[in-house]
Coordinates of all heavy atoms in Angstrom, one line a residue:
M1 N 106.1 93.4 88.5 CA 106.0 92.5 89.6 C 106.0 91.0 89.1 O 105.2 90.7 88.2 CB 104.7 92.7 90.4 CG 104.4 91.7 91.4 SD 102.8 91.9 92.3 CE 102.0 93.2 91.5
L2 N 106.9 90.2 89.6 CA 107.0 88.9 89.2 C 106.5 88.0 90.2 O 106.9 88.0 91.4 CB 108.5 88.6 89.0 CG 108.9 87.2 88.3 CD1 108.4 87.2 86.9 CD2 110.4 87.1 88.3
F3 N 105.5 87.1 89.9 CA 104.8 86.3 90.9 C 104.1 85.1 90.2 O 103.5 85.3 89.2 CB 103.8 87.1 91.7 CG 103.0 86.2 92.7 CD1 103.6 85.8 93.9 CD2 101.8 85.8 92.4 CE1 103.0 85.0 94.8 CE2 101.1 85.0 93.3 CZ 101.7 84.6 94.5
D4 N 104.2 83.9 90.8 CA 103.5 82.8 90.4 C 103.3 81.9 91.6 O 104.2 81.8 92.5 CB 104.3 82.0 89.3 CG 103.5 80.8 88.8 OD1 102.3 81.0 88.5 OD2 104.1 79.7 88.8
V5 N 102.2 81.3 91.8 CA 101.9 80.3 92.8 C 101.1 79.2 92.2 O 100.2 79.4 91.4 CB 101.1 80.9 94.0 CG1 99.8 81.5 93.6 CG2 101.0 79.9 95.1
E6 N 101.5 78.0 92.5 CA 100.8 76.8 92.0 C 100.9 75.6 92.9 O 101.7 75.6 93.8 CB 101.5 76.4 90.7 CG 102.9 75.9 90.8 CD 103.6 75.5 89.5 OE1 102.9 75.5 88.5 OE2 104.7 75.1 89.5
R7 N 99.9 74.7 92.8 CA 99.9 73.5 93.5 C 100.8 72.5 92.8 O 100.9 72.5 91.5 CB 98.5 73.0 93.6 CG 97.7 73.8 94.6 CD 96.2 73.4 94.6 NE 96.0 72.1 95.0 CZ 94.8 71.5 95.1 NH1 93.7 72.3 94.7 NH2 94.6 70.3 95.5
A8 N 101.6 71.8 93.5 CA 102.5 70.8 92.9 C 102.7 69.7 93.9 O 102.0 69.5 94.8 CB 103.9 71.5 92.6
T9 N 103.7 68.9 93.6 CA 104.1 67.8 94.5 C 105.6 67.9 94.8 O 106.4 68.1 93.9 CB 103.9 66.4 93.8 OG1 102.5 66.3 93.5 CG2 104.2 65.2 94.8
R10 N 106.0 67.8 96.1 CA 107.3 67.8 96.5 C 107.6 66.6 97.4 O 106.9 66.4 98.4 CB 107.7 69.1 97.3 CG 107.6 70.3 96.5 CD 108.8 70.4 95.5 NE 108.9 71.7 94.8 CZ 108.4 71.9 93.6 NH1 107.7 71.0 92.9 NH2 108.5 73.1 93.0
A11 N 108.5 65.8 97.0 CA 108.9 64.5 97.8 C 107.6 63.7 98.0 O 107.5 63.1 99.1 CB 109.6 64.9 99.1
G12 N 106.8 63.6 97.0 CA 105.6 62.8 97.1 C 104.4 63.4 97.9 O 103.4 62.8 98.1
L13 N 104.6 64.7 98.4 CA 103.6 65.3 99.2 C 103.0 66.5 98.4 O 103.7 67.1 97.6 CB 104.2 65.9 100.5 CG 104.8 64.8 101.4 CD1 105.6 65.5 102.5 CD2 103.7 63.9 102.0
P14 N 101.7 66.8 98.7 CA 101.1 68.0 98.0 C 101.8 69.2 98.5 O 102.3 69.3 99.6 CB 99.6 67.9 98.5 CG 99.6 67.1 99.7 CD 100.8 66.1 99.6
A15 N 102.0 70.2 97.6 CA 102.8 71.4 97.9 C 102.2 72.6 97.2 O 101.4 72.5 96.3 CB 104.2 71.2 97.4
I16 N 102.5 73.7 97.8 CA 102.2 75.0 97.2 C 103.6 75.6 96.9 O 104.4 75.7 97.8 CB 101.4 75.9 98.2 CG1 100.1 75.3 98.5 CG2 101.3 77.3 97.6 CD1 99.3 76.1 99.6
V17 N 103.8 76.0 95.7 CA 105.1 76.6 95.3 C 104.9 78.0 94.9 O 104.1 78.4 94.1 CB 105.7 75.8 94.1 CG1 107.0 76.4 93.6 CG2 105.8 74.3 94.4
V18 N 105.7 78.9 95.6 CA 105.6 80.3 95.3 C 106.9 80.8 94.7 O 108.0 80.4 95.1 CB 105.5 81.1 96.7 CG1 105.4 82.6 96.4 CG2 104.2 80.6 97.4
R19 N 106.8 81.5 93.6 CA 107.9 82.1 92.9 C 107.7 83.6 92.8 O 106.6 84.1 92.4 CB 108.0 81.6 91.5 CG 108.4 80.1 91.4 CD 108.4 79.6 90.0 NE 108.5 78.2 89.9 CZ 107.4 77.3 90.0 NH1 106.2 77.9 90.0 NH2 107.6 76.0 90.0
G20 N 108.7 84.4 93.1 CA 108.7 85.8 93.0 C 108.3 86.5 94.3 O 108.6 86.0 95.4
E21 N 107.5 87.6 94.2 CA 107.2 88.4 95.3 C 105.9 88.1 95.9 O 104.8 88.2 95.3 CB 107.2 89.9 94.9 CG 108.6 90.3 94.3 CD 108.6 91.8 93.8 OE1 107.5 92.5 94.0 OE2 109.6 92.2 93.4
L22 N 105.9 87.7 97.2 CA 104.7 87.4 98.0 C 104.5 88.6 98.9 O 105.1 88.8 99.9 CB 104.8 86.1 98.7 CG 103.6 85.7 99.6 CD1 102.3 85.7 98.7 CD2 103.9 84.3 100.2
D23 N 103.6 89.5 98.4 CA 103.3 90.8 99.1 C 101.9 91.1 99.2 O 101.0 90.3 98.8 CB 104.2 91.9 98.5 CG 103.9 92.1 97.0 OD1 102.8 91.6 96.5 OD2 104.7 92.7 96.3
I24 N 101.5 92.3 99.5 CA 100.1 92.8 99.6 C 99.4 92.5 98.3 O 98.2 92.2 98.4 CB 100.0 94.2 100.1 CG1 98.6 94.5 100.6 CG2 100.6 95.2 99.1 CD1 98.5 95.8 101.4
A25 N 100.0 92.7 97.2 CA 99.3 92.6 95.9 C 99.1 91.1 95.5 O 98.2 90.8 94.8 CB 100.1 93.3 94.8
T26 N 100.0 90.2 96.0 CA 99.9 88.8 95.5 C 99.4 87.9 96.6 O 99.1 86.7 96.3 CB 101.3 88.3 95.1 OG1 102.2 88.4 96.1 CG2 101.8 89.1 93.9
A27 N 99.3 88.3 97.9 CA 98.9 87.5 99.0 C 97.5 86.9 98.7 O 97.2 85.7 99.0 CB 98.9 88.2 100.3
P28 N 96.5 87.6 98.1 CA 95.2 87.0 97.8 C 95.3 85.8 96.9 O 94.5 84.8 97.1 CB 94.4 88.2 97.2 CG 95.0 89.4 97.7 CD 96.5 89.1 97.8
A29 N 96.1 85.9 95.9 CA 96.3 84.7 95.0 C 96.9 83.5 95.7 O 96.5 82.4 95.5 CB 97.2 85.1 93.8
F30 N 97.8 83.8 96.6 CA 98.4 82.7 97.5 C 97.3 82.1 98.3 O 97.2 80.9 98.4 CB 99.5 83.3 98.3 CG 100.0 82.3 99.3 CD1 101.0 81.3 99.0 CD2 99.6 82.3 100.6 CE1 101.5 80.4 99.9 CE2 100.0 81.4 101.6 CZ 101.0 80.4 101.2
A31 N 96.5 83.0 98.9 CA 95.4 82.5 99.8 C 94.4 81.6 99.0 O 93.9 80.6 99.6 CB 94.7 83.7 100.5
E32 N 94.1 82.0 97.8 CA 93.2 81.2 97.0 C 93.8 79.8 96.7 O 93.1 78.8 96.8 CB 92.9 82.0 95.7 CG 91.9 81.3 94.8 CD 91.6 82.1 93.6 OE1 91.6 83.3 93.6 OE2 91.3 81.5 92.5
V33 N 95.0 79.8 96.3 CA 95.7 78.5 96.0 C 95.7 77.6 97.3 O 95.5 76.4 97.3 CB 97.1 78.7 95.4 CG1 97.8 77.4 95.3 CG2 96.9 79.3 94.0
A34 N 96.1 78.3 98.4 CA 96.2 77.6 99.7 C 94.8 77.0 100.1 O 94.7 75.8 100.5 CB 96.7 78.6 100.8
A35 N 93.8 77.8 99.9 CA 92.4 77.2 100.2 C 92.1 76.0 99.4 O 91.5 75.0 99.9 CB 91.4 78.4 100.0
G36 N 92.4 76.1 98.1 CA 92.2 74.9 97.3 C 93.0 73.7 97.7 O 92.5 72.5 97.7
A37 N 94.2 73.9 98.1 CA 95.1 72.8 98.6 C 94.5 72.2 99.9 O 94.5 71.0 100.0 CB 96.5 73.3 98.8
L38 N 94.1 73.0 100.8 CA 93.5 72.5 102.0 C 92.2 71.9 101.9 O 91.8 70.9 102.6 CB 93.4 73.7 103.0 CG 94.8 74.2 103.5 CD1 94.5 75.4 104.5 CD2 95.6 73.1 104.2
A39 N 91.4 72.3 100.9 CA 90.1 71.7 100.6 C 90.2 70.3 100.2 O 89.3 69.5 100.4 CB 89.4 72.5 99.5
A40 N 91.4 69.9 99.7 CA 91.6 68.5 99.3 C 91.8 67.6 100.5 O 91.9 66.4 100.3 CB 92.8 68.4 98.3
G41 N 92.0 68.2 101.6 CA 92.1 67.4 102.9 C 93.4 66.7 103.0 O 93.4 65.5 103.5
P42 N 94.6 67.3 102.7 CA 95.8 66.5 102.8 C 96.2 66.3 104.3 O 95.8 67.0 105.2 CB 96.8 67.5 102.2 CG 96.3 68.8 102.5 CD 94.8 68.7 102.4
A43 N 97.0 65.2 104.5 CA 97.5 64.9 105.9 C 98.7 65.8 106.1 O 99.1 66.1 107.3 CB 97.8 63.5 106.0
S44 N 99.4 66.2 105.0 CA 100.6 67.0 105.1 C 100.6 67.9 103.9 O 100.2 67.5 102.8 CB 101.8 66.1 105.1 OG 103.0 66.8 105.4
L45 N 101.2 69.1 104.0 CA 101.3 70.0 103.0 C 102.6 70.7 103.0 O 103.1 71.2 104.1 CB 100.2 71.1 103.0 CG 100.1 72.1 101.9 CD1 99.8 71.5 100.6 CD2 99.1 73.2 102.3
V46 N 103.3 70.8 101.9 CA 104.6 71.5 101.8 C 104.4 72.9 101.3 O 103.7 73.0 100.3 CB 105.6 70.7 100.9 CG1 106.9 71.5 100.7 CG2 105.9 69.3 101.4
V47 N 105.0 73.9 101.9 CA 105.0 75.2 101.4 C 106.4 75.5 100.9 O 107.3 75.7 101.8 CB 104.5 76.3 102.4 CG1 104.5 77.7 101.8 CG2 103.1 75.9 102.9
D48 N 106.6 75.6 99.6 CA 107.9 75.8 99.1 C 108.1 77.2 98.7 O 107.6 77.7 97.7 CB 108.1 74.9 97.8 CG 109.5 74.9 97.2 OD1 110.3 75.8 97.6 OD2 109.8 74.1 96.3
L49 N 108.9 77.9 99.5 CA 109.2 79.3 99.3 C 110.6 79.5 98.8 O 111.1 80.7 98.8 CB 109.1 80.1 100.6 CG 107.7 80.1 101.3 CD1 107.7 80.7 102.6 CD2 106.6 80.7 100.4
T50 N 111.2 78.5 98.2 CA 112.6 78.5 97.8 C 112.8 79.6 96.7 O 113.8 80.3 96.8 CB 113.0 77.2 97.1 OG1 112.8 76.1 98.1 CG2 114.4 77.2 96.7
A51 N 111.9 79.8 95.8 CA 112.0 80.7 94.7 C 111.3 82.1 95.0 O 111.2 82.9 94.2 CB 111.5 80.2 93.4
T52 N 110.9 82.3 96.3 CA 110.3 83.6 96.7 C 111.5 84.6 96.9 O 112.4 84.4 97.6 CB 109.6 83.4 98.0 OG1 108.6 82.3 97.9 CG2 108.9 84.7 98.4
T53 N 111.3 85.7 96.1 CA 112.4 86.7 96.1 C 112.1 87.9 97.1 O 113.0 88.6 97.4 CB 112.6 87.3 94.7 OG1 111.3 87.8 94.3 CG2 113.0 86.2 93.8
F54 N 110.8 88.0 97.6 CA 110.4 89.0 98.5 C 109.2 88.6 99.3 O 108.3 88.0 98.7 CB 110.1 90.3 97.7 CG 109.7 91.5 98.6 CD1 110.6 92.2 99.3 CD2 108.3 91.8 98.7 CE1 110.2 93.2 100.2 CE2 107.9 92.8 99.5 CZ 108.8 93.5 100.3
L55 N 109.2 88.8 100.6 CA 108.1 88.5 101.4 C 107.8 89.6 102.4 O 108.7 89.9 103.2 CB 108.4 87.2 102.2 CG 107.4 86.7 103.1 CD1 106.2 86.1 102.4 CD2 108.0 85.5 104.0
D56 N 106.7 90.3 102.2 CA 106.4 91.4 103.2 C 105.4 90.8 104.2 O 105.1 89.6 104.3 CB 105.8 92.6 102.4 CG 104.3 92.5 102.0 OD1 103.8 91.3 102.1 OD2 103.8 93.4 101.5
S57 N 105.0 91.7 105.1 CA 104.2 91.2 106.2 C 102.8 90.7 105.8 O 102.3 89.7 106.4 CB 104.0 92.4 107.2 OG 103.3 93.5 106.6
S58 N 102.3 91.2 104.7 CA 101.0 90.6 104.2 C 101.2 89.1 103.7 O 100.4 88.3 103.9 CB 100.5 91.4 103.0 OG 100.3 92.7 103.4
G59 N 102.3 88.9 103.0 CA 102.6 87.6 102.6 C 102.9 86.6 103.7 O 102.4 85.5 103.8
A60 N 103.7 87.1 104.7 CA 104.0 86.3 105.9 C 102.7 86.0 106.6 O 102.5 84.9 107.1 CB 104.9 87.0 106.8
R61 N 101.8 87.0 106.7 CA 100.5 86.8 107.4 C 99.7 85.6 106.7 O 99.1 84.8 107.4 CB 99.7 88.0 107.5 CG 98.5 88.0 108.3 CD 97.8 89.3 108.6 NE 98.0 90.4 107.6 CZ 98.8 91.4 107.6 NH1 99.6 91.5 108.7 NH2 98.9 92.3 106.7
Q62 N 99.7 85.6 105.4 CA 99.0 84.6 104.7 C 99.6 83.2 104.9 O 98.9 82.2 105.0 CB 98.9 84.9 103.2 CG 98.0 85.9 102.8 CD 96.5 85.6 103.3 OE1 95.9 86.5 103.8 NE2 96.0 84.5 103.0
V63 N 100.9 83.1 105.0 CA 101.6 81.9 105.3 C 101.2 81.4 106.7 O 100.9 80.2 106.9 CB 103.1 82.0 105.1 CG1 103.8 80.7 105.6 CG2 103.5 82.3 103.7
V64 N 101.2 82.3 107.7 CA 100.8 81.9 109.0 C 99.3 81.4 109.0 O 99.0 80.5 109.7 CB 101.0 83.1 110.0 CG1 100.4 82.8 111.4 CG2 102.5 83.4 110.1
R65 N 98.5 82.1 108.3 CA 97.0 81.7 108.2 C 96.9 80.3 107.7 O 96.1 79.5 108.1 CB 96.2 82.7 107.4 CG 95.9 84.0 108.1 CD 95.1 84.9 107.2 NE 94.8 86.1 107.9 CZ 94.6 87.3 107.3 NH1 94.6 87.4 106.0 NH2 94.4 88.3 108.0
L66 N 97.7 80.0 106.6 CA 97.7 78.7 106.0 C 98.1 77.7 107.0 O 97.4 76.6 107.2 CB 98.6 78.7 104.8 CG 99.0 77.3 104.3 CD1 97.8 76.6 103.8 CD2 100.0 77.4 103.2
V67 N 99.2 77.9 107.8 CA 99.6 77.0 108.8 C 98.6 76.7 109.8 O 98.3 75.6 110.2 CB 101.0 77.4 109.4 CG1 101.3 76.6 110.6 CG2 102.1 77.5 108.4
R68 N 98.0 77.8 110.3 CA 96.9 77.6 111.3 C 95.7 76.9 110.8 O 95.2 76.0 111.5 CB 96.5 79.0 111.9 CG 97.6 79.6 112.7 CD 97.1 81.0 113.3 NE 98.2 81.5 114.1 CZ 98.3 82.8 114.4 NH1 97.4 83.7 114.0 NH2 99.3 83.2 115.2
Q69 N 95.3 77.2 109.6 CA 94.1 76.5 109.0 C 94.5 75.0 108.8 O 93.6 74.2 109.1 CB 93.7 77.1 107.7 CG 93.1 78.5 107.9 CD 92.9 79.2 106.5 OE1 93.5 78.8 105.5 NE2 92.1 80.3 106.5
A70 N 95.7 74.7 108.3 CA 96.0 73.3 108.1 C 96.1 72.6 109.4 O 95.5 71.5 109.5 CB 97.4 73.3 107.4
Q71 N 96.7 73.2 110.4 CA 96.7 72.5 111.7 C 95.4 72.3 112.3 O 95.1 71.3 113.0 CB 97.6 73.3 112.7 CG 99.1 73.2 112.3 CD 100.0 74.1 113.1 OE1 99.5 75.1 113.8 NE2 101.3 73.8 113.1
A72 N 94.5 73.3 112.2 CA 93.1 73.1 112.7 C 92.4 71.9 112.0 O 91.5 71.3 112.6 CB 92.3 74.4 112.5
G73 N 92.8 71.7 110.7 CA 92.2 70.6 110.0 C 92.9 69.3 110.2 O 92.7 68.3 109.5
G74 N 94.0 69.3 111.0 CA 94.7 68.1 111.3 C 95.9 67.8 110.3 O 96.5 66.7 110.3
A75 N 96.2 68.8 109.5 CA 97.3 68.6 108.5 C 98.6 69.2 109.0 O 98.6 70.3 109.7 CB 97.0 69.3 107.2
A76 N 99.7 68.6 108.8 CA 101.0 69.1 109.1 C 101.5 70.0 107.9 O 101.2 69.6 106.8 CB 102.0 68.0 109.3
V77 N 102.2 71.0 108.2 CA 102.8 71.9 107.2 C 104.3 71.8 107.3 O 104.9 71.9 108.4 CB 102.3 73.4 107.3 CG1 103.0 74.2 106.3 CG2 100.8 73.4 107.2
Q78 N 104.9 71.6 106.1 CA 106.4 71.5 106.1 C 106.9 72.6 105.2 O 106.3 73.0 104.3 CB 106.8 70.1 105.5 CG 106.2 69.0 106.4 CD 106.6 67.7 105.8 OE1 107.5 67.5 105.0 NE2 105.8 66.7 106.2

């Protein structure tokens, strides 16, 4: 299984970059990085899935949770 998730900057905005397979096995790591990114209180957050090669329902669910949490905290997700 190939997977990496990290916090980065895209176009001057804080970002979460996912590479590889975002699935049931890797969704918890994505959630952990997402929580850290949101804890910093950004006004906007980029979720870069460009290098994501596979996304199952567990991964998609984590992305939706991130968007909802961000919006609840007043942050826009791009």
Side-chain angles (χ1 to χ4, degrees):
M1 168 183 10
L2 190 65
F3 177 77
D4 183 49
V5 60
E6 66 181 355
R7 290 172 60 181
T9 302
R10 293 288 188 264
L13 298 172
I16 298 172
V17 179
V18 179
R19 291 178 194 87
E21 300 178 1
L22 180 52
D23 58 20
I24 193 167
T26 59
F30 174 83
E32 184 177 328
V33 171
L38 291 177
S44 186
L45 181 65
V46 174
V47 179
D48 184 350
L49 300 174
T50 304
T52 303
T53 58
F54 177 79
L55 178 70
D56 76 355
S57 62
S58 299
R61 188 171 28 259
Q62 284 303 132
V63 173
V64 170
R65 283 183 182 151
L66 165 64
V67 171
R68 288 182 180 161
Q69 290 171 343
Q71 290 174 339
V77 177
Q78 301 178 22

